[in-house]
Amino acid sequence: MSTSYRIGLVGKPSVGKSSFFNAATMNDVPEGAYPFTTIDPSVGEAYVRVDCAAPEFDEECTPNVGYCDHGTRFVPTKLVDVAGLIPGAHEGNGLGNQFLSDLNETDVLVHVVDFSGETDLEGEPTEGHDPREDIAFLEEELDQWYLDILEKGIKRYESGYTTEDDAIEEELAEQMSAFKTNEDEIKLLIRRTDIGFDPDEWDDEDQLELAREIRKETKPMVIAANKMDTPEAQANYEEITSDPEYEHLTIVPCSAHAEKALKSADKAGVLDYRPGDDGFEITGDVSGEQEQGLEQIRDFLDGYGATGVQAALETALFDVLGVTPVFPGGANGLGNERGEVLPDCYLIPPNSTAEDFAYSLHSDIGDGFLHAIDCRSNRQLGKNYEVEPRDVIEIITTN
């Protein structure tokens, strides 16, 4: 079980976004090097890895959802492949409005960028395209979208719809509530941009700056530098990651094609491969051509440590969003009355307390919360205890 986090997969057409989605979920979504292959947002189940706690107790876990492979727990999360983005999406171009509303259903973004430079801004084949343009283009589209909504809030405030007592941050929080923001956050971001609290004094640049800050806070992003198995992409990656202008971004080198090939071969029983690993073992018969392809993938793994597909998802959830994985313990430490061992691993928001965790299990459990027990140390924990990653916690409740 987990709080249902949704990772949005975004990017212009033909950059390998569908390949990434398929590699992450192994669902069959049509792939094709032409715009709008993905028309409806495809929602698939992907997995993030968590070190299972069961081995520390000399136990073997029995997961309800996901699976465990040699002490690595694969915990499900939702991956949303958002339909084709093109310039002017915020003005409704292409599938613009659909794109933006699908995007709004997500908690964090993975922006798939073709680092080989073989597709232009419209997703058409080209050579020598600068991936920086793609990175900037998505951020600008989102900033303009946020700005449109922010401006509506400012207009409402200035037109006197609100009462005299309402502060600008209240109006903007209400206007932008779809982005899961609130008054305190807006207040903090206005302070951060240092534009003051009187919208009459904000110029266009101030408004854009505030819109950008709200976007960065509510739609954090990881860049999946795709097609990194090409020399052009590797050269671009070196250049961009050493450029101070891109320090604010988390960029993960990846090859969706390699991940898909390894998972397919593993499924066919030709090799042993566990998603996210830095290597694989050929266990079946392969042709000379297949072996050559696999050796090229092996070289890539040696250079980058993994295909990067798992790393992009885990970086988005754990590093960027700060999501905390936690195991509910049972009356005898790990098990429950059905004899299952650590059947669940919950993904809960950062800085959650033991009481918050109780509520994420069930509202009744939260309402009746007495205390929690750390199953490793048998220590009693109060409701304000801040849950740590991979804690094994039993909740004692009146309900």
Side-chain angles (χ1 to χ4, degrees):
M1 288 294 295
S2 64
T3 300
S4 204
Y5 282 100
R6 293 165 77 92
I7 301 173
L9 206 55
V10 294
K12 66 185 190 186
S14 313
V15 292
K17 191 162 60 81
S18 293
S19 302
F20 185 108
F21 180 83
N22 286 344
T25 60
M26 283 304 270
N27 294 345
D28 294 318
V29 166
E31 290 176 29
Y34 54 90
F36 301 133
T37 309
T38 313
I39 296 294
D40 296 308
S42 302
V43 181
E45 195 168 74
Y47 296 93
V48 290
R49 294 168 299 169
V50 176
D51 286 340
C52 187
E56 294 174 46
F57 297 84
D58 293 325
E59 293 273 9
E60 215 169 288
C61 70
T62 48
N64 269 334
V65 291
Y67 62 99
C68 199
D69 186 346
H70 293 87
T72 297
R73 192 77 168 245
F74 286 79
V75 183
T77 187
K78 293 273 186 286
L79 186 61
V80 183
D81 184 2
V82 181
L85 168 68
I86 62 165
H90 73 278
E91 294 165 343
N93 292 349
L95 302 173
N97 296 330
Q98 186 59 43
F99 168 80
L100 296 171
S101 63
D102 293 341
L103 200 67
N104 215 22
E105 300 297 308
T106 63
D107 301 294
V108 63
L109 305 179
V110 172
H111 181 195
V112 182
V113 176
D114 175 0
F115 260 55
S116 72
E118 290 172 356
T119 42
D120 67 14
L121 274 180
E122 302 276 351
E124 302 296 339
T126 187
E127 276 175 29
H129 178 74
D130 189 345
R132 285 174 237 236
E133 288 186 30
D134 296 358
I135 294 170
F137 147 65
L138 179 70
E139 292 198 317
E140 284 160 15
E141 278 297 331
L142 297 184
D143 291 345
Q144 288 299 327
W145 176 37
Y146 271 68
L147 180 61
D148 289 348
I149 296 166
L150 180 81
E151 285 173 340
K152 286 181 185 135
I154 294 170
K155 281 200 183 96
R156 263 178 68 95
Y157 180 77
E158 289 175 337
S159 65
Y161 273 130
T162 51
T163 65
E164 285 293 309
D165 303 335
D166 277 357
I168 181 65
E169 62 268 23
E170 285 176 54
E171 186 58 56
L172 294 183
E174 192 179 322
Q175 183 66 39
M176 308 192 85
S177 60
F179 298 123
K180 299 178 185 150
T181 186
N182 58 48
E183 212 179 300
D184 292 340
E185 189 169 64
I186 298 282
K187 204 171 187 174
L188 183 78
L189 297 174
I190 292 174
R191 284 212 179 95
R192 191 187 292 172
T193 50
D194 200 21
I195 56 175
F197 283 84
D198 181 359
D200 287 340
E201 292 178 7
W202 298 349
D203 61 18
D204 291 352
E205 195 44 53
D206 293 335
Q207 293 183 19
L208 179 60
E209 195 185 348
L210 180 57
R212 185 180 296 126
E213 283 302 318
I214 300 171
R215 187 264 302 167
K216 277 156 59 174
E217 202 67 33
T218 58
K219 282 281 174 280
M221 194 183 321
V222 170
I223 305 291
N226 198 26
K227 307 191 184 177
M228 280 293 291
D229 41 6
T230 63
E232 296 83 0
Q234 291 167 14
N236 282 329
Y237 177 78
E238 289 309 317
E239 210 176 294
I240 291 171
T241 51
S242 55
D243 183 341
E245 215 178 302
Y246 291 87
E247 271 172 6
H248 71 288
L249 285 174
T250 307
I251 303 177
V252 179
C254 100
S255 168
H257 158 77
E259 178 75 2
K260 185 89 191 296
L262 290 176
K263 277 188 172 171
S264 300
D266 180 76
K267 210 173 181 179
V270 173
L271 53 81
D272 260 347
Y273 170 68
R274 189 172 66 166
D277 278 3
D278 59 2
F280 57 88
E281 193 186 335
I282 299 176
T283 54
D285 295 331
V286 290
S287 67
E289 198 181 332
Q290 284 172 317
E291 190 167 358
Q292 203 180 343
L294 287 171
E295 287 312 318
Q296 282 175 345
I297 292 176
R298 200 187 293 281
D299 288 345
F300 177 72
L301 296 187
D302 287 345
Y304 290 94
T307 68
V309 170
Q310 277 300 131
L313 301 177
E314 288 157 6
T315 300
L317 271 197
F318 298 135
D319 299 348
V320 172
L321 274 190
V323 169
T324 305
V326 56
F327 298 92
N332 58 352
L334 297 193
N336 59 20
E337 62 281 0
R338 293 189 295 281
E340 299 165 331
V341 176
L342 292 188
D344 298 310
C345 179
Y346 277 70
L347 302 176
I348 62 174
N351 312 317
S352 291
T353 62
E355 187 179 39
D356 295 332
F357 176 49
Y359 274 109
S360 70
L361 295 171
H362 197 284
S363 56
D364 290 350
I365 295 175
D367 289 343
F369 181 90
L370 293 171
H371 62 266
I373 294 171
D374 177 338
C375 295
R376 286 188 176 92
S377 63
N378 285 327
R379 197 162 52 97
Q380 191 167 308
L381 308 169
K383 66 176 184 179
N384 294 326
Y385 166 78
E386 200 169 296
V387 177
E388 300 269 341
R390 298 184 60 255
D391 268 350
V392 183
I393 294 178
E394 184 191 349
I395 300 293
I396 307 300
T397 174
T398 55
N399 297 327

